[in-house]
Amino acid sequence: GPVVRCEGVTHVYPDTDGTEVVALDAVDLEVAPGQAVALVGPSGSGKSTLLTVLAGLVRPTAGRVSVAGTDLGGLTERALLGVRARSLGIVLQTPGRNLLPYASARRNVTFAQRSAGGTRAERGREVDGLLEAVGLLPWAGTAARHLSGGQQQRLALAVALAGDPPLLLADEPTSQLDRATGEVVLELMVRAREERGTALVVVTHDREVSRRLDVEHTIHDGRLTSGPDRG
Ligand code: ADP
Ligand code: ADP
């Protein structure tokens, strides 16, 4: 089955002045295994909210969400942590949020790989291979909190891919990177998809990124419109 299925997903944030913000309005979305999806739309249209709902970090007000075959509705926080560790790679706009600040870059990747379980655990060469792929091997021993914003963003991607997840969720993964480094990051995501069948859902303003993915979904005022599949 699909790696993501959303049916009628609506999310309403309560606002400080008592009004409400409808961030997602009856969103239906399916992502097939290995499919690469770009989420585009103006600022404030609901892209980040949709990503955090898929990550199980925000529970939608209404609708059903399933990820990698698991219905997220009604799961305990502990069960959600398990789904996240095993089935999801997540790169949020604040990459530091998904990193262990006092642990080294290498330890961050190793920890993510062990948490995911499976056959990759303890394969140190691949950890260093991933660090090399994101250009961080020289900083392998540096604590995450001492890395720059762009370096943390790249480390977050290495951490996200460490467990070889069926689904990678990324929110503007190239926003803090220069063009050359952004290209490296895009290449790693595209290769994870080609070589390992990782499905990608990428929020992006970057045409260069969107162009490389299979399908572009547009969000306006919380409503999602699907584009034609190029894959
Ligand atoms: P995008 O990622 O497309 O910029 P968001 O998902 O961040 O959009 O936001 C969608 C709408 O929800 C916006 O109107 C935003 O102001 C509102 N919003 C986002 N997060 C919160 C929050 N934590 N509390 C209240 N409103 C929020
Ligand atoms: P190389 O050409 O050196 O294999 P890659 O960028 O393909 O470079 O990968 C570098 C390292 O990162 C390799 O050890 C590879 O196994 C690992 N790697 C790449 N993508 C993933 C992924 N999605 N999950 C886990 N490990 C990965």
Side-chain angles (χ1 to χ4, degrees):
V3 70
V4 169
R5 175 178 278 146
C6 291
E7 289 170 307
V9 170
T10 291
H11 191 66
V12 180
Y13 290 108
D15 210 351
T16 38
D17 61 9
T19 62
E20 292 180 330
V21 179
V22 181
L24 295 176
D25 187 358
V27 168
D28 296 324
L29 170 67
E30 273 199 16
V31 181
Q35 191 182 30
V37 172
L39 277 183
V40 303
S43 178
S45 58
K47 304 180 297 294
S48 297
T49 301
L50 181 55
L51 217 65
T52 50
V53 164
L54 296 180
L57 297 168
V58 166
R59 288 180 197 269
T61 319
R64 297 167 67 87
V65 180
S66 82
V67 166
T70 303
D71 190 333
L72 301 187
L75 289 191
T76 61
E77 285 303 317
R78 189 190 174 84
L80 278 173
L81 279 174
V83 171
R84 252 178 253 138
R86 280 188 310 276
S87 304
L88 285 180
I90 306 172
V91 181
L92 294 176
Q93 276 193 3
T94 45
R97 253 182 76 182
N98 274 351
L99 299 174
L100 305 167
Y102 291 90
S104 69
R106 181 184 280 122
R107 185 86 188 90
N108 267 277
V109 178
T110 310
F111 182 77
Q113 201 174 55
R114 295 215 181 123
S115 307
T119 54
R120 288 183 175 280
E122 325 263 358
R123 285 156 74 178
R125 259 187 45 234
E126 299 221 318
V127 169
D128 281 7
L130 263 176
L131 287 170
E132 184 167 29
V134 295
L136 287 179
L137 199 50
W139 288 274
T142 303
R145 71 194 177 108
H146 289 143
L147 298 174
S148 72
Q151 288 173 330
Q152 289 189 7
Q153 199 168 33
R154 284 180 282 148
L155 180 58
L157 180 62
V159 162
L161 291 176
D164 215 357
L167 174 63
L168 176 73
L169 305 171
D171 200 345
E172 298 281 2
T174 59
S175 62
Q176 298 183 47
L177 308 177
D178 60 51
R179 194 162 186 80
T181 317
E183 186 58 37
V184 166
V185 158
L186 175 60
E187 211 51 52
L188 188 63
M189 293 193 297
V190 167
R191 283 176 61 183
R193 176 190 163 237
E194 281 167 4
E195 295 169 7
R196 295 158 194 269
T198 311
L200 311 175
V201 177
V202 183
V203 170
T204 187
H205 285 112
D206 189 339
R207 289 266 133 213
E208 204 59 35
V209 173
S210 173
R211 209 172 51 76
R212 297 285 302 278
L213 309 181
D214 301 324
V215 60
E216 191 176 273
H217 295 319
T218 307
I219 307 192
H220 267 285
D221 292 334
R223 288 200 201 111
L224 185 130
T225 321
S226 299
D229 199 318
R230 301 184 287 249

